[in-house]
C-alpha cells in the first residue's frame, strides 16, 4: 500500500536573535495560513509573559482613563476579519543595489482570520478629548536600537482616523484559537491594509496623544528614503503586489502542459486583474480562481501554459481597483521597504 507523501515545508530562517522566520509561501495553498507557518518578525527578544500582560490600560487625552482586562475584552462584541499581514521588508533581497536588513525573499507575508474588539469600541468607552491627534501603542518587547543609549520598547502610533476605522482591532484570536505567544499573545493590534510594522504585538498600553509621535520605529525606521534624495515619507499602506508560487524560479520543467499559479494582493481596494507575459510586451489575463470582494485578502490566480523547449522568463503583474499596477522597476529606498516590482520566474524547459 502506497504511503501518502508526508513531506512538509518549513520556515526559512533569516535570524535567530531576534527570531525572524519566513513563511514557505510557495508551498502553501491554504487561504488561512496556520500559526506554525506564519512568518515571524521581531526587533527584540520575546518578552516575558507575566500577569500584567492580561490588562490593557488606555490613558492620555481621554475623558475617562480605563483599564481593560483580558476577560472583559473577550466578553465584548467581537469583530472578525480575514486579512493578510505583510512585512514592509518583504522581498528586500530583490532590490538592486542591495540594502542592509533581513534579506526577506517572498515569504514575509501570511494571511488568516483575526478576531478581537474594534479599537473604536474601546475608545468610545474612554472618550477622546478634542486635542487628540494620534493613538500610541506600546508593546512589552524591548531592547537597544541604533542611535539610542538605553533600552526602548517597540512602539508605534496611528492617526486618529485610522485608529477609529471599523476594521482596526485589538486581536486576541487567530484562526479561531488564542494568539500564539510568538505572534503577540495575549493581545496585539491588527491594522489591515497597512504593512505589518503597524500591528504592534504584546500590547502593554495605549496612550492617546496630542502630538506626532517620533519614536525610533516611526521617525527613523519604516520611512521611505528614496534614491534621488527626494523627501522621505512614512511607510503605511501595502503596495499592490504578487508572487508566482509555481513554477519556482530557476526550475527545470518538461515540455507540455503546466499550470502557472500564484497570489496577488493590495492594501487598497481589491485585485481586479493579474496578467502574465513571456516577453514583457504582450500581456494576457490569468484566471482569478479565488477573487475576493474583501480589501484585505489575497487573490489566487492561475494560467494554463503549453511549455516549449528552451529558457523562458515568466512575468506577472497585478492591478487593483484603485488603478494601481505593479511597476517594472521598484522604488529603491535605502531601508528596502515596499518592494513590488513585476514578479518574475525563470525556467528551463527540456
Amino acid at each position: 500500500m502506497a504511503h501518502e507523501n508526508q513531506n512538509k515545508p518549513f520556515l526559512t530562517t533569516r535570524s535567530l536573535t531576534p527570531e525572524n522566520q519566513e513563511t514557505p509561501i510557495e508551498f502553501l495553498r491554504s487561504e488561512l495560513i496556520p500559526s506554525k507557518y506564519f512568518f515571524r518578525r521581531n526587533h527584540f527578544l520575546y518578552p516575558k509573559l507575566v500577569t500584567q500582560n492580561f490588562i490593557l490600560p488606555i490613558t492620555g487625552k481621554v475623558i475617562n482613563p480605563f483599564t481593560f482586562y483580558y476577560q472583559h475584552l473577550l466578553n465584548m462584541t467581537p469583530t472578525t476579519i480575514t486579512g493578510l499581514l505583510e512585512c514592509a521588508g518583504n522581498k528586500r533581497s530583490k532590490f538592486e543595489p542591495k540594502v542592509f536588513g533581513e534579506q526577506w525573499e517572498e515569504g514575509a507575508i501570511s494571511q488568516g482570520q483575526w478576531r478581537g474588539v474594534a479599537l473604536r469600541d474601546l475608545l468610545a468607552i474612554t472618550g477622546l478629548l478634542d486635542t487628540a491627534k494620534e493613538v500610541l501603542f506600546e508593546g512589552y518587547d524591548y531592547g537597544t536600537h541604533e542611535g539610542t543609549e538605553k533600552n526602548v520598547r517597540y512602539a508605534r502610533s496611528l492617526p486618529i482616523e485610522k485608529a477609529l476605522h471599523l476594521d482596526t482591532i485589538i486581536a486576541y484570536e487567530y484562526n479561531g484559537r488564542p494568539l500564539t505567544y510568538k505572534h503577540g499573545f495575549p493581545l496585539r493590534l491588527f491594522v489591515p491594509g497597512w504593512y505589518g510594522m503597524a500591528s504592534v504585538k504584546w500590547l502593554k498600553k495605549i496612550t492617546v496623544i496630542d502630538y506626532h509621535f517620533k519614536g525610533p520605529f516611526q521617525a527613523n525606521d519604516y520611512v521611505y528614503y528614496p534614491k534621488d534624495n527626494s523627501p522621505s515619507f512614512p511607510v503605511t499602506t501595502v503596495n499592490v503586489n504578487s508572487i508566482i508560487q509555481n513554477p519556482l524560479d530557476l526550475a527545470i520543467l518538461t515540455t507540455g502542459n503546466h499550470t502557472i499559479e500564484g497570489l496577488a494582493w493590495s492594501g487598497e481596494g481589491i485585485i481586479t486583474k493579474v496578467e502574465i507575459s513571456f516577453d514583457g510586451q504582450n500581456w494576457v489575463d490569468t484566471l482569478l480562481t479565488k477573487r475576493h470582494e474583501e480589501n484585505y485578502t489575497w487573490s489566487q490566480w492561475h494560467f494554463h501554459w503549453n511549455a516549449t523547449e528552451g529558457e523562458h522568463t515568466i512575468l506577472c503583474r497585478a492591478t487593483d481597483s484603485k488603478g494601481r499596477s505593479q511597476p517594472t522597476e521598484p522604488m529603491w529606498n535605502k531601508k528596502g521597504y515596499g518592494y513590488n516590482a513585476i514578479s518574475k520566474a525563470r525556467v528551463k524547459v527540456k
Side-chain angles (χ1 to χ4, degrees):
M1 180 177 177
H3 292 285
E4 182 182 351
N5 189 342
Q6 296 297 313
N7 291 338
K8 302 292 182 183
F10 296 90
L11 297 172
T12 300
T13 303
R14 294 298 164 204
S15 70
L16 288 178
T17 309
E19 184 183 17
N20 287 291
Q21 305 264 13
E22 191 163 333
T23 297
I25 194 67
E26 289 85 359
F27 303 101
L28 301 177
R29 298 298 183 268
S30 173
E31 186 172 351
L32 305 180
I33 301 299
S35 289
K36 67 178 180 178
Y37 289 134
F38 201 104
F39 77 96
R40 300 170 189 174
R41 174 63 177 116
N42 295 289
H43 298 85
F44 306 123
L45 298 178
Y46 290 106
K48 293 180 180 179
L49 189 62
V50 296
T51 304
Q52 291 299 108
N53 289 106
F54 293 88
I55 64 173
L56 183 62
I58 299 182
T59 60
K61 301 302 177 182
V62 297
I63 299 169
N64 300 301
F66 196 89
T67 296
F68 295 89
Y69 287 82
Y70 183 74
Q71 191 60 47
H72 183 188
L73 297 178
L74 296 185
N75 291 334
M76 293 181 66
T77 302
T79 296
T80 302
I81 298 172
T82 300
L84 63 86
L85 272 184
E86 181 184 13
C87 176
N90 196 27
K91 301 190 181 183
R92 180 180 283 128
S93 63
K94 299 179 182 296
F95 276 110
E96 292 293 345
K98 298 293 186 184
V99 298
F100 290 98
E102 279 74 16
Q103 294 301 298
W104 301 106
E105 293 186 1
E106 297 182 327
I109 184 172
S110 296
Q111 176 174 282
Q113 188 180 79
W114 306 86
R115 185 179 178 90
V117 180
L119 176 60
R120 73 176 188 175
D121 289 349
L122 305 186
L123 296 177
I125 293 173
T126 64
L128 295 174
L129 296 177
D130 292 341
T131 55
K133 286 185 178 179
E134 297 182 359
V135 181
L136 174 61
F137 306 87
E138 185 176 316
Y140 275 98
D141 50 329
Y142 68 92
T144 59
H145 184 277
E146 182 182 2
T148 61
E149 297 180 358
K150 57 184 180 180
N151 286 339
V152 296
R153 292 194 182 276
Y154 186 80
R156 294 267 314 177
S157 72
L158 291 176
I160 287 292
E161 297 77 15
K162 190 66 177 177
L164 293 176
H165 192 283
L166 177 65
D167 297 331
T168 298
I169 67 172
I170 305 300
Y172 49 73
E173 283 185 6
Y174 177 75
N175 288 351
R177 304 192 59 154
L179 294 169
T180 63
Y181 170 62
K182 291 195 171 184
H183 294 105
F185 177 82
L187 299 169
R188 70 171 296 164
L189 183 66
F190 177 57
V191 186
W194 280 33
Y195 281 109
M197 78 283 150
S199 295
V200 179
K201 301 188 290 290
W202 308 292
L203 279 176
K204 182 177 189 291
K205 63 180 180 179
I206 296 174
T207 309
V208 179
I209 57 179
D210 60 359
Y211 58 90
H212 295 300
F213 179 62
K214 295 185 186 241
F217 295 103
Q218 190 126 355
N220 300 324
D221 293 348
Y222 301 110
V223 175
Y224 290 112
Y225 297 99
K227 189 174 186 178
D228 59 3
N229 293 321
S230 57
S232 61
F233 58 100
V235 176
T236 55
T237 307
V238 171
N239 289 327
V240 61
N241 215 331
S242 70
I243 61 169
I244 299 170
Q245 293 175 293
N246 183 64
L248 296 175
D249 190 33
L250 300 177
I252 297 176
L253 308 177
T254 58
T255 56
N257 294 323
H258 293 272
T259 299
I260 303 171
E261 59 186 332
L263 305 172
W265 63 92
S266 172
E268 290 186 337
I270 60 174
I271 294 298
T272 56
K273 180 170 60 175
V274 178
E275 306 163 282
I276 67 168
S277 174
F278 295 92
D279 60 9
Q281 301 295 323
N282 299 291
W283 294 85
V284 293
D285 288 346
T286 67
L287 179 63
L288 290 174
T289 52
K290 285 195 175 178
R291 181 174 175 175
H292 292 279
E293 297 304 318
E294 302 175 45
N295 291 352
Y296 312 125
T297 56
W298 58 46
S299 292
Q300 296 176 325
W301 57 269
H302 73 257
F303 181 84
H304 295 299
W305 177 42
N306 187 11
T308 57
E309 188 173 356
E311 295 185 9
H312 304 270
T313 297
I314 305 167
L315 303 175
C316 171
R317 179 175 67 188
T319 300
D320 67 19
S321 57
K322 299 292 184 179
R324 304 188 308 166
S325 293
Q326 291 177 257
T328 303
E329 297 293 333
M331 185 196 75
W332 190 95
N333 58 100
K334 73 177 185 180
K335 288 185 176 287
Y337 298 133
Y339 186 101
N340 75 323
I342 288 171
S343 302
K344 180 187 302 184
R346 296 154 293 174
V347 298
K348 178 183 285 188
V349 180
K350 299 174 65 176

